[in-house]
Amino acid sequence: MSKGASVVAGPHRQGDDGSRLLASRDVGDLLEAATHHAGGELLRWQMDHIDAHPGHSTTATYAARVRWPYGERDELLGVSARIGPRTATDNRADIFADGDREVAVWLYPKDPDLPGLMRAAYPERMAELVNEYNLVGRPVSASQISLAMIGYRPRRRAVLRMDVANPAETFYVKVQRQKQFEEVLLRHNLLLEAGVPAPVVAAATPEHLLVLKELDGRSLARAIFDPTDPCTAEQLIEILDQMPASAAQLERRPPWTDAVAHYATMVEAAMPSQKSRLDWMVHQIEQGLVGIEPGNEPTHGDFHEGQVFVKDGRVSGILDIDTVGPGRRADDLACMIAHLSTVQRMNAEQAGRVHHLIRTWVPVFDTRVDPVELRLRAAAVIISLATGPYRGQEPSWEGETIAILDSAEALVRQVS
């Protein structure tokens, strides 16, 4: 495979979104060629993450060991393939051609859609940012900066935790695409002005980095395992209802339910054996929600235990407000149910605590929204979550996927 500049998908590749190549061992030749082009020797590799959008594009990352002239290092290689011509940001990566196939390849952190990652990945550059924006009121050096990746969706977004030492202060750095960056900054300012306990924006940079102060309290994702309830269902509803009416004037983002057929297709592509029950669930969900208006309540858009902070038995803050906009309260509450219903790798005691919260909170949610709508929307969110184990290349992704689909089916059958 040689470096070139032909069309991404030629005549007999029009239906090939790259998923077969990027998920196979054949991609090794491409990774070897890309590493050689960069001046290194690929020693070994394994898939780290894959985002497949059937009929459109596929992006994957690969954990690799590379020998460079200065020594060996662990690296992360990213590869994108798509149907149709390459995008402008594809051209920020190296383009490798093999006949009528082109793929974009990059070496982390040179993500073609996240230019800010080149700064956020290095303590030296983040120390410069801390000093430039006077984030801690004193000069700091790179040795005082500790960075940890919280999440990375190649070509979409990344979140890093930044700890500054002496004395200790913590920030979260969101690395975003330009349009997303502008929209999220607007939402943060809107909620903060209304008194909603969203993270305070400490810095917003030209490279589309959003630096946020740490919220008070601790994540509900950890607190759900506490021996006492971390908060009440009423408090969860209350924090959502505190969002200003002006949030309903923002751009509408389709709820997870609208894309249930798309996510089902993604799951089917990875696990064809689940096609029949996925088709049945999609039909039941879509038919059960026919005629329901989109709604104009201010909504979070991705409300789950990882987005909520709690302290002393109350909600103390709300995270990741990227999707705030008009919608239905049932979408937010269904998202919470879906995530709680699909927590993975719990021991028996933890599972008991989570099931207790579901049994306690769902009846309260039922008094705020229609119970049938709530369950169908929760099932739709669960189907979207079923793409996660394969995408993240979990060791037991097939079993985890089936367990997640079992949770969705149980909710659908409650109202069908």
Side-chain angles (χ1 to χ4, degrees):
M1 185 168 283
S2 61
K3 199 162 186 295
S6 59
V7 179
V8 174
H12 67 277
R13 293 287 185 94
Q14 289 299 317
D16 186 354
D17 56 20
S19 58
R20 285 175 292 178
L21 170 64
L22 270 57
S24 74
R25 297 300 299 179
D26 293 341
V27 77
D29 292 339
L30 167 64
L31 300 177
E32 186 174 354
T35 305
H36 178 75
H37 173 73
E41 178 188 357
L42 183 65
L43 301 178
R44 57 183 180 272
W45 64 273
Q46 66 178 26
M47 183 183 287
D48 172 73
H49 179 100
I50 186 166
D51 266 328
H53 297 270
H56 297 283
S57 64
T58 305
T59 293
T61 53
Y62 305 87
R65 185 70 175 177
V66 178
R67 178 182 293 122
W68 302 103
Y70 51 80
E72 293 185 12
R73 270 181 47 134
D74 291 325
E75 304 285 3
L76 190 66
L77 289 162
V79 183
S80 287
R82 68 179 73 252
I83 292 176
R86 65 182 185 239
T87 66
T89 54
D90 283 339
N91 293 324
R92 297 175 184 167
D94 288 326
I95 305 299
F96 287 81
D98 180 16
D100 56 8
R101 155 68 70 203
E102 272 192 348
V103 292
V105 185
W106 70 95
L107 189 67
Y108 178 91
K110 298 179 181 178
D111 189 302
D113 282 300
L114 302 175
L117 200 52
M118 283 294 292
R119 186 172 198 178
Y122 298 107
E124 296 81 4
R125 300 204 61 191
M126 290 307 293
E128 293 171 358
L129 184 151
V130 171
N131 292 331
E132 179 183 350
Y133 289 87
N134 193 30
L135 297 190
V136 296
R138 64 185 187 279
V140 301
S141 64
S143 64
Q144 295 173 278
I145 302 291
S146 176
L147 298 170
M149 180 63 74
I150 302 299
Y152 175 43
R153 289 289 297 275
R155 306 196 67 167
R156 289 175 170 267
R157 60 187 176 273
V159 179
L160 296 94
R161 173 177 170 142
M162 178 174 67
D163 291 305
V164 184
N166 303 324
E169 294 189 53
T170 298
F171 299 86
Y172 288 87
V173 184
K174 302 189 76 167
V175 189
Q176 300 173 307
R177 293 176 289 189
Q178 180 176 0
K179 183 175 185 293
Q180 183 187 29
F181 168 80
E182 294 168 350
E183 293 175 346
V184 173
L185 181 58
L186 169 66
R187 284 164 171 78
H188 270 278
N189 291 333
L190 192 69
L191 295 194
L192 289 168
E193 289 171 3
V196 177
V200 173
V201 178
T205 78
E207 309 102 319
H208 317 140
L209 299 181
L210 205 60
V211 183
L212 306 173
K213 292 186 177 181
E214 187 176 34
L215 284 173
D216 191 29
R218 58 198 286 258
S219 173
L220 179 59
R222 294 186 176 185
I224 57 175
F225 303 127
D226 289 351
T228 58
D229 291 0
C231 64
T232 67
E234 290 85 355
Q235 290 162 2
L236 292 169
I237 296 171
E238 180 183 335
I239 194 71
L240 293 169
D241 288 345
Q242 284 179 12
M243 289 193 290
S246 54
Q249 305 304 313
L250 296 170
E251 178 183 353
R252 183 182 297 277
R253 296 170 183 266
W256 297 106
T257 313
D258 285 10
V260 64
H262 167 72
Y263 286 111
T265 300
M266 293 174 66
V267 178
E268 289 171 10
M271 294 195 69
S273 63
Q274 301 301 304
K275 176 176 171 54
S276 60
R277 75 159 166 169
L278 278 162
D279 289 348
W280 177 79
M281 285 193 286
V282 169
H283 176 77
Q284 295 297 118
I285 292 167
E286 291 181 338
Q287 291 301 306
L289 298 175
V290 166
I292 296 179
E293 296 296 324
N296 289 299
E297 290 183 272
T299 57
H300 181 278
D302 192 24
F303 189 67
H304 58 77
E305 73 278 6
Q307 314 289 39
V308 177
F309 265 50
V310 293
K311 183 179 182 181
D312 299 329
R314 298 194 61 83
V315 174
S316 59
I318 187 169
L319 285 174
D320 287 349
I321 58 172
D322 309 29
T323 50
V324 164
R328 298 180 65 82
R329 183 62 67 239
D331 282 311
D332 280 341
L333 301 182
C335 191
M336 179 64 74
I337 294 171
H339 280 259
L340 290 176
S341 300
T342 56
V343 178
Q344 301 293 304
R345 295 180 287 280
M346 294 184 289
N347 60 37
E349 183 179 354
Q350 290 172 329
R353 286 302 307 160
V354 172
H355 294 156
H356 160 75
L357 291 177
I358 293 173
R359 292 192 302 270
T360 304
W361 289 353
V362 169
V364 179
F365 293 168
D366 283 342
T367 66
R368 176 64 169 80
V369 301
D370 178 73
V372 173
E373 179 185 0
L374 180 66
R375 284 156 180 77
L376 292 177
R377 292 189 183 278
V381 177
I382 290 175
I383 291 172
S384 76
L385 295 174
T387 64
Y390 173 71
R391 190 175 64 239
Q393 289 295 287
E394 303 295 340
S396 304
W397 68 265
E398 291 176 306
E400 290 187 4
T401 301
I402 290 174
I404 291 171
L405 294 180
D406 288 344
S407 296
E409 184 175 351
L411 284 168
V412 175
R413 291 195 180 278
Q414 285 183 24
V415 295
S416 298

Coordinates of all heavy atoms in Angstrom, one line a residue, residues 178-209:
Q178 N -14.4 22.3 16.0 CA -14.7 23.7 16.1 C -16.2 24.0 16.4 O -16.6 24.7 17.3 CB -14.3 24.4 14.9 CG -14.6 25.9 14.9 CD -14.0 26.7 13.7 OE1 -13.4 26.1 12.8 NE2 -14.2 28.0 13.7
K179 N -17.1 23.4 15.6 CA -18.5 23.7 15.7 C -19.0 23.2 17.1 O -19.8 23.9 17.7 CB -19.3 23.0 14.6 CG -20.8 23.3 14.6 CD -21.5 22.7 13.4 CE -23.0 23.1 13.3 NZ -23.8 22.5 14.4
Q180 N -18.6 22.1 17.5 CA -19.0 21.5 18.8 C -18.5 22.4 19.9 O -19.2 22.7 20.9 CB -18.4 20.1 18.9 CG -18.9 19.4 20.2 CD -18.2 18.1 20.3 OE1 -17.0 17.9 19.9 NE2 -18.8 17.1 21.0
F181 N -17.3 22.9 19.8 CA -16.7 23.7 20.8 C -17.5 25.0 21.0 O -17.8 25.4 22.1 CB -15.3 24.1 20.4 CG -14.6 25.2 21.2 CD1 -14.1 25.0 22.4 CD2 -14.6 26.5 20.7 CE1 -13.5 26.0 23.1 CE2 -14.0 27.5 21.4 CZ -13.4 27.3 22.6
E182 N -17.9 25.6 19.9 CA -18.7 26.9 20.0 C -20.1 26.6 20.7 O -20.5 27.4 21.5 CB -18.8 27.5 18.7 CG -17.5 28.0 18.1 CD -17.6 28.3 16.6 OE1 -18.6 28.0 16.0 OE2 -16.6 28.9 16.1
E183 N -20.7 25.5 20.3 CA -22.0 25.2 20.8 C -21.9 24.8 22.3 O -22.8 25.2 23.1 CB -22.6 24.0 20.0 CG -22.9 24.3 18.6 CD -23.4 23.1 17.8 OE1 -23.2 22.0 18.3 OE2 -23.9 23.3 16.7
V184 N -20.9 24.1 22.7 CA -20.8 23.7 24.1 C -20.5 24.9 25.0 O -21.0 25.0 26.1 CB -19.7 22.6 24.3 CG1 -19.5 22.3 25.7 CG2 -20.2 21.3 23.5
L185 N -19.6 25.8 24.5 CA -19.3 27.0 25.3 C -20.6 27.8 25.5 O -20.8 28.3 26.6 CB -18.3 27.8 24.6 CG -17.8 29.1 25.3 CD1 -17.3 28.8 26.7 CD2 -16.8 29.8 24.4
L186 N -21.4 27.9 24.5 CA -22.7 28.7 24.6 C -23.6 28.0 25.7 O -24.2 28.7 26.5 CB -23.4 28.7 23.3 CG -24.9 29.2 23.3 CD1 -24.9 30.6 23.6 CD2 -25.5 28.9 21.9
R187 N -23.7 26.7 25.7 CA -24.5 26.0 26.7 C -24.0 26.2 28.1 O -24.8 26.3 29.0 CB -24.6 24.6 26.3 CG -25.6 24.3 25.1 CD -25.4 23.0 24.4 NE -26.5 22.7 23.5 CZ -26.5 23.3 22.3 NH1 -25.5 24.1 21.8 NH2 -27.5 23.0 21.4
H188 N -22.7 26.1 28.3 CA -22.1 26.3 29.6 C -22.5 27.7 30.1 O -23.0 27.8 31.3 CB -20.6 26.2 29.6 CG -20.2 24.8 29.8 ND1 -20.0 24.2 31.1 CD2 -19.8 23.8 29.0 CE1 -19.6 23.0 31.0 NE2 -19.5 22.7 29.7
N189 N -22.3 28.7 29.3 CA -22.6 30.1 29.8 C -24.1 30.2 30.1 O -24.5 30.9 31.0 CB -22.2 31.1 28.7 CG -20.7 31.1 28.6 OD1 -19.9 30.9 29.6 ND2 -20.2 31.5 27.4
L190 N -25.0 29.6 29.3 CA -26.4 29.7 29.4 C -26.8 29.1 30.8 O -27.6 29.7 31.5 CB -27.1 29.0 28.3 CG -28.6 29.2 28.1 CD1 -28.9 30.7 27.7 CD2 -29.2 28.3 27.1
L191 N -26.4 27.9 31.1 CA -26.8 27.2 32.3 C -26.2 27.9 33.5 O -26.8 28.1 34.5 CB -26.3 25.8 32.3 CG -27.0 24.9 31.2 CD1 -26.7 23.4 31.5 CD2 -28.5 25.1 31.1
L192 N -24.9 28.3 33.4 CA -24.3 29.0 34.6 C -25.0 30.3 34.9 O -25.2 30.6 36.1 CB -22.8 29.2 34.3 CG -21.9 28.0 34.3 CD1 -20.5 28.3 33.7 CD2 -21.8 27.4 35.7
E193 N -25.4 31.0 33.9 CA -26.1 32.3 34.2 C -27.4 32.1 34.8 O -27.9 32.9 35.6 CB -26.3 33.1 32.8 CG -24.9 33.6 32.3 CD -25.1 34.2 30.9 OE1 -26.3 34.2 30.4 OE2 -24.1 34.6 30.3
A194 N -28.0 30.9 34.6 CA -29.3 30.6 35.2 C -29.2 29.9 36.5 O -30.2 29.6 37.2 CB -30.1 29.6 34.2
G195 N -27.9 29.7 37.0 CA -27.7 29.1 38.3 C -27.7 27.6 38.4 O -27.7 27.0 39.5
V196 N -27.7 27.0 37.2 CA -27.6 25.5 37.2 C -26.2 25.1 37.5 O -25.2 25.7 36.9 CB -28.0 25.0 35.8 CG1 -27.8 23.5 35.7 CG2 -29.5 25.4 35.5
P197 N -25.9 24.2 38.4 CA -24.6 23.9 38.8 C -23.8 23.0 37.7 O -23.4 21.9 37.9 CB -24.8 23.0 40.1 CG -26.1 22.4 39.9 CD -26.9 23.4 39.1
A198 N -23.5 23.7 36.6 CA -22.7 23.1 35.6 C -21.2 23.5 35.9 O -21.0 24.4 36.6 CB -23.1 23.6 34.2
P199 N -20.2 22.8 35.3 CA -18.8 23.2 35.5 C -18.5 24.6 35.1 O -19.0 25.0 34.0 CB -18.1 22.1 34.7 CG -19.0 21.0 34.6 CD -20.4 21.6 34.5
V200 N -17.7 25.3 35.9 CA -17.3 26.6 35.5 C -16.2 26.5 34.4 O -15.3 25.7 34.5 CB -16.8 27.4 36.8 CG1 -16.2 28.7 36.4 CG2 -17.9 27.6 37.8
V201 N -16.4 27.4 33.4 CA -15.4 27.4 32.3 C -14.2 28.2 32.8 O -14.3 29.4 33.0 CB -16.0 28.0 31.1 CG1 -14.9 28.1 30.0 CG2 -17.2 27.2 30.6
A202 N -13.0 27.6 32.9 CA -11.8 28.3 33.3 C -11.0 28.8 32.2 O -10.3 29.9 32.3 CB -10.9 27.3 34.1
A203 N -11.1 28.2 31.0 CA -10.5 28.7 29.8 C -11.1 28.1 28.5 O -11.6 27.0 28.6 CB -9.0 28.4 29.8
A204 N -11.1 28.9 27.5 CA -11.6 28.5 26.2 C -10.5 28.9 25.2 O -10.3 30.1 25.0 CB -13.0 29.0 25.8
T205 N -9.9 28.0 24.5 CA -8.7 28.4 23.7 C -9.0 28.3 22.2 O -10.0 27.7 21.7 CB -7.6 27.4 24.0 OG1 -7.8 26.2 23.3 CG2 -7.4 27.1 25.5
P206 N -8.1 29.0 21.4 CA -8.3 28.9 19.9 C -8.2 27.5 19.3 O -8.7 27.3 18.2 CB -7.1 29.8 19.4 CG -6.8 30.7 20.6 CD -7.0 29.9 21.8
E207 N -7.6 26.6 20.0 CA -7.5 25.2 19.5 C -8.7 24.4 19.9 O -8.7 23.2 19.7 CB -6.2 24.5 20.0 CG -4.9 25.3 19.9 CD -4.5 25.9 21.2 OE1 -5.4 26.5 21.9 OE2 -3.3 25.9 21.5
H208 N -9.7 25.0 20.4 CA -11.0 24.4 20.7 C -10.9 23.5 21.9 O -11.4 22.4 22.0 CB -11.5 23.6 19.5 CG -11.5 24.3 18.2 ND1 -11.1 23.7 17.0 CD2 -11.6 25.6 17.9 CE1 -11.1 24.6 16.1 NE2 -11.4 25.7 16.6
L209 N -10.1 24.0 22.9 CA -10.0 23.3 24.2 C -10.9 24.0 25.2 O -10.8 25.3 25.3 CB -8.6 23.3 24.7 CG -7.5 22.6 23.9 CD1 -6.2 22.7 24.6 CD2 -7.9 21.1 23.7

